[in-house]
Amino acid sequence: MLGLIDYFEPVTDNIGLFADAFLVTLEICLYGATGSLLLGTLIAACRVSPLPPLQRVGSAWVTVFRNCPLTIVLFFCAFGLPEIGINAPFFWFGIIGLVLYTSAFACEAVRSGINSVSAGQAEAARAVGLTFIQSLGTVVLPQAMRTVVPPLGSVIIAMIKNSAIVGAVGVGGDLFSTYGTLVSARGLPIIPVLLGVAAGYLLITIPGGILLGVLERRVAVAR
Amino acid sequence: MTATTPPMIRMAGVNKHFGSLHVLRDIDLEVDRGQVVVVLGPSGSGKSTLCRAINRLEPIDGGTIEVDGTPLPAEGRALAKLRADVGMVFQQFNLFAHKTIAENVMLGPVKVRRMGKQQARDAAMTLLDRVGITDQAGKYPAQLSGGQQQRAAIARALAMRPKVMLFDEPTSALDPEMISEVLEVMVGLAEEGMTMLVITHEMGFARRAAHRVVFMSDGEIIEDAAPQTFFTTPRSDRAKDFLGKILAH
Ligand SMILES: Nc1ncnc2c1ncn2[C@@H]1O[C@H](COP(=O)(O)OP(=O)(O)OP(=O)(O)O)[C@@H](O)[C@H]1O
Ligand SMILES: [Mg+2]
């Protein structure tokens, strides 16, 4: 028993560092999720819009960001954007990359939900005189919710895990960087530190999953 | 009404293809204010496409369509505004499934006409009373019978105070005992002078309410005559054949 406590000393001794890193990762995830959902919905709206140029922009967006490795997208943001004169802290470059990448997946989840609503609903909305945006916002998306929440949830959980790669690009101060700080720089044992890092991610993903379940039941009951 | 008043609906030289299928062939059709036109024809003859072209749910390849003298605008706000003036009733009702009957009727006036909620609700209740379903106002569409849903759909279209109403087989999805309750509402509208384009195979309605019957076949308008004339002395073989089939049962 005492041995086990000793074993995790690298974590317990640095619990403040872990806590700070956890908050940074949580922050990345919150910004990332919000941005990805908004952007993904916007791109999905483009894809189902009646305007062919917007449809093409939407499908090109998805093709590019869904098929590019996240690491490459992140490198473009972190090292490419400064090349063309855009400067910001790595933190924001990381979030931008994460959002660009995740938005493609969020878009496809939202779009499949939109397609699950019968075409007659949107036609009736347009026939009444609602604009495309109004019919999407008041008639189609509310009905798409039920089918959208589960796949969108998976997209966000995947994004939370991907946020570790953002750390690897050099955001610094997040959960993933804790590994570098404690193991590479200070030579602490690998396994207990990694277990601590993993626990930090689980602390976000598991409650996230539970929240998702609650939300799923909510939208399933709501008509 | 002066001689210069434009027809409510004017289609001239309208053509439409679905891929290689030519579904509307040089359609010329005018519907005057207050006129009730019934469109008949075999399945696949292009009736729905014609009806949907009028509010641009289906864009056309060539020709012009004008509603109350205004050519159909391209996709955008102007088109939404035009659609608000054209009521449409679908075969499958298409009531908004996540909204109550009252909310279905209120949505257009509130979102498109910017009417206050309370005023819209009062207007909705008046319309629901007119189509005889005030007691269903708080229910969701799935809780209503087909006939009630279709009457609600008519109320939803009327709530926009449309200049013209389009009906695409409004009673085809209904059980026989519910057809007349919907037709009654439509006859009432016709008697009040609403301009209507109605796709239906209900001969009774055509005889009672229509000023003209338009017969379509293979994307073309073959005949355009008064109901009595059309039903008793159809000119074309295709119309004779068609009438023979539908009057047989
Ligand atoms: N979205 C579409 N894509 C391809 N073909 C279509 C489409 N909509 C209709 N069609 C075809 O166009 C033709 C005309 O269809 P339309 O629905 O206008 O006929 P209709 O006269 O209303 O027939 P019904 O009495 O069966 O309703 C048919 O052959 C139909 O299969
Ligand atoms: Mg049809």
Side-chain angles (χ1 to χ4, degrees):
Chain A
M1 189 61 211
L2 216 67
L4 198 63
I5 292 175
D6 283 346
Y7 185 68
F8 278 108
E9 233 166 38
V11 177
T12 47
D13 284 354
N14 296 291
I15 199 72
L17 184 72
F18 272 96
D20 290 344
F22 173 80
L23 290 177
V24 171
T25 290
L26 189 64
E27 203 178 352
I28 292 174
C29 292
L30 288 177
Y31 284 121
T34 313
S36 305
L37 292 180
L38 290 178
L39 190 59
T41 307
L42 186 73
I43 305 293
C46 288
R47 292 204 71 174
V48 301
S49 85
L51 301 175
L54 282 185
Q55 294 167 10
R56 282 194 288 272
V57 168
S59 66
W61 184 282
V62 171
T63 306
V64 169
F65 288 110
R66 200 170 54 166
N67 293 304
C68 239
L70 173 59
T71 323
I72 305 299
V73 175
L74 284 169
F75 270 62
F76 260 106
C77 292
F79 308 115
L81 290 182
E83 280 294 290
I84 58 168
I86 300 173
N87 285 298
F90 262 129
F91 178 78
W92 289 108
F93 284 143
I95 287 174
I96 290 171
L98 194 60
V99 166
L100 290 178
Y101 178 81
T102 312
S103 69
F105 295 89
C107 163
E108 289 307 271
V110 171
R111 191 170 70 109
S112 75
I114 289 174
N115 289 339
S116 76
V117 179
S118 92
Q121 294 287 306
E123 284 191 348
R126 283 186 290 153
V128 162
L130 298 190
T131 61
F132 168 72
I133 307 261
Q134 285 177 322
S135 95
L136 202 60
T138 60
V139 173
V140 180
L141 283 180
Q143 295 189 62
M145 270 311 191
R146 195 193 313 221
T147 36
V148 157
V149 168
L152 218 44
S154 312
V155 168
I156 295 306
I157 302 256
M159 188 215 71
I160 295 171
K161 294 184 287 179
N162 284 337
S163 74
I165 305 181
V166 176
V169 172
V171 163
D174 72 311
L175 269 177
F176 185 83
S177 327
T178 316
Y179 175 83
T181 312
L182 297 183
V183 178
S184 311
R186 286 175 32 200
L188 294 180
I190 293 173
I191 292 177
V193 171
L194 272 184
L195 285 174
V197 171
Y201 282 105
L202 292 180
L203 219 51
I204 302 176
T205 47
I206 291 177
I210 293 171
L211 201 68
L212 193 68
V214 173
L215 201 60
E216 263 175 55
R217 278 191 294 281
R218 276 266 185 89
V219 294
V221 177
R223 304 190 44 97
Chain B
M1 203 184 303
T2 65
T4 56
T5 318
M8 188 57 84
I9 300 171
R10 194 174 83 88
M11 305 178 87
V14 171
N15 278 282
K16 164 86 186 173
H17 293 79
F18 282 117
S20 61
L21 191 66
H22 200 168
V23 280
L24 295 180
R25 298 169 186 259
D26 293 318
I27 298 286
D28 295 314
L29 177 69
E30 293 193 355
V31 179
D32 286 329
R33 254 151 246 277
Q35 219 175 32
V36 177
V37 173
V38 161
V39 180
L40 285 175
S43 179
S45 57
K47 306 178 299 292
S48 296
T49 310
L50 175 124
C51 181
R52 293 158 54 83
I54 294 170
N55 64 358
R56 212 175 186 275
L57 281 182
E58 211 69 80
I60 55 173
D61 309 333
T64 49
I65 301 180
E66 289 172 9
V67 174
D68 200 15
T70 311
L72 284 191
E75 205 63 55
R77 283 200 173 272
L79 181 61
K81 192 164 148 24
L82 179 131
R83 283 179 178 146
D85 290 335
V86 178
M88 188 158 201
V89 176
F90 302 85
Q91 183 174 353
Q92 299 299 337
F93 331 129
N94 292 346
L95 288 170
F96 305 131
H98 63 311
K99 294 196 176 286
T100 64
I101 298 304
E103 288 166 351
N104 263 272
V105 180
M106 292 163 61
L107 186 70
V110 170
K111 294 280 172 190
V112 179
R113 303 274 192 235
R114 304 280 164 204
M115 193 187 273
K117 275 251 167 76
Q118 192 51 50
Q119 197 191 347
R121 183 172 292 279
D122 293 345
M125 291 314 290
T126 309
L127 282 167
L128 290 179
D129 181 42
R130 170 172 176 181
V131 299
I133 50 168
T134 17
D135 46 338
Q136 312 295 327
K139 293 190 186 166
Y140 286 92
Q143 298 171 288
L144 269 59
S145 74
Q148 291 169 330
Q149 287 191 57
Q150 195 59 299
R151 285 184 281 155
I154 295 175
R156 174 177 69 181
L158 289 176
M160 301 303 290
R161 301 189 168 280
K163 295 174 178 173
V164 48
M165 290 276 287
L166 309 173
F167 294 83
D168 187 355
E169 304 209 32
T171 58
S172 301
L174 299 179
D175 292 336
E177 72 271 19
M178 293 171 187
I179 292 178
S180 67
E181 66 191 44
V182 172
L183 290 180
E184 278 314 313
V185 172
M186 292 168 57
V187 169
L189 272 177
E191 283 168 353
E192 284 169 26
M194 175 63 80
T195 311
M196 297 163 67
L197 183 99
V198 185
I199 302 172
T200 183
H201 291 165
E202 294 294 331
M203 299 302 137
F205 175 81
R207 285 214 167 83
R208 262 173 85 189
H211 299 102
R212 279 159 67 198
V213 170
V214 165
F215 175 72
M216 286 185 76
S217 178
D218 298 320
E220 282 179 293
I221 293 183
I222 307 280
E223 298 202 29
D224 185 341
Q228 206 54 33
T229 318
F230 178 76
F231 290 126
T232 51
T233 53
R235 284 181 289 114
S236 62
D237 287 340
R238 278 190 272 188
K240 280 177 198 155
D241 187 45
F242 174 76
L243 283 174
K245 277 183 195 139
I246 57 168
L247 296 178
H249 49 250

